[in-house]
Amino acid sequence: MSFPAKSASLLIAKRVKDPAKNNSFDYKLLHLKRGSKMKWANVLAYPGGKIEPQDNDYLHRIKDQSYLKNRETLEYGLAKLAALRETYEEAGLFFAKQDTNINDTLNHIEKLFELNGAVGKTPSFYDFADFIEPFENPDIIEMIRLITVPQLKIRFNTQFFFTVATPDNCLNLPKRFQIGRASCRERV
């Protein structure tokens, strides 16, 4: 029996303009198809993945230290951060705090890409996180925790979060900077 790896996932819904064209549903959920050469190849999944050591490092240096009060809030903070980071890495989407100025954010992103491009790397989630403060978005809510059954060789202890993408809380990169292919406005 293996110990389940801690992981997190973000379910992202987007209101549709014409529910009649969406089998009368008001919302669509974003899902991604895993690459053919990846682990879990060709599987449809929500953005998400394992909690990484960098998530813990970042959590310990942000302004809001309330997540470090006890083990329960630390685990919640790590899971939320991992879900947001994986969403950026897999879909190119950011969820910023409510009063984020989108134009200022786009200008900041462009500068980060110019600076990082000069040294041949793509900016990381953490390069953006200091500026857009994704933790301050109250629209991202804890939903459910699921743990893989003990009989499986590979196991996960996954915290799922949920949010509704809107042009006010979700920012996708301009096409020339996109990492993933999702969009807050058109294709979610």
Side-chain angles (χ1 to χ4, degrees):
M1 177 167 64
S2 64
F3 190 76
K6 293 197 178 205
S7 59
S9 185
L10 181 60
L11 280 68
I12 304 165
K14 182 181 182 234
R15 196 166 200 38
V16 295
K17 290 179 183 171
D18 186 1
K21 292 181 180 177
N22 193 40
N23 294 324
S24 298
F25 292 104
D26 293 336
Y27 291 89
K28 285 186 175 186
L29 284 176
L30 169 71
H31 62 273
L32 307 169
K33 184 175 181 182
R34 302 274 182 200
S36 61
K37 295 184 180 94
M38 297 174 70
K39 193 178 208 178
W40 312 102
N42 299 316
V43 170
L44 294 178
Y46 302 111
K50 289 182 185 176
I51 295 172
E52 303 288 345
Q54 306 92 300
D55 297 329
N56 190 42
D57 297 343
Y58 180 78
L59 196 63
H60 279 80
R61 69 176 181 82
I62 62 173
K63 293 180 220 170
D64 182 0
Q65 296 290 310
S66 64
Y67 293 103
L68 306 178
K69 287 181 183 174
N70 59 51
R71 185 173 176 206
E72 185 178 303
T73 57
L74 175 61
E75 285 189 13
Y76 169 82
L78 285 170
K80 186 174 182 181
L81 186 60
L84 290 165
R85 176 184 48 76
E86 290 285 345
T87 299
Y88 161 69
E89 291 173 356
E90 295 177 3
L93 299 177
F94 299 94
F95 289 87
K97 65 181 180 177
Q98 282 184 319
D99 61 349
T100 299
N101 180 306
I102 297 299
N103 288 328
D104 287 348
T105 302
L106 285 172
N107 290 335
H108 182 75
I109 287 171
E110 193 151 339
K111 287 177 186 166
L112 279 172
F113 268 90
E114 286 171 9
L115 291 171
N116 282 289
V119 293
K121 71 174 198 141
T122 301
S124 75
F125 168 79
Y126 305 106
D127 292 328
F128 298 105
D130 286 332
F131 186 74
I132 63 172
E133 300 178 285
F135 262 11
E136 303 303 317
N137 186 332
D139 297 331
I140 298 170
I141 57 171
E142 189 173 17
M143 196 170 108
I144 190 170
R145 176 176 297 279
L146 298 174
I147 302 173
T148 315
V149 296
Q151 293 81 3
L152 294 177
K153 189 175 180 179
I154 299 173
R155 299 183 61 214
F156 294 96
N157 176 350
T158 305
Q159 176 63 59
F160 288 87
F161 294 86
F162 176 81
T163 194
V164 175
T166 69
D168 297 327
N169 74 357
C170 177
L171 174 70
N172 57 291
L173 296 174
K175 281 203 183 295
R176 66 185 181 280
F177 300 138
Q178 279 188 2
I179 294 167
R181 294 183 358 197
S183 168
C184 303
R185 290 169 182 79
E186 298 95 31
R187 293 186 300 251
V188 170

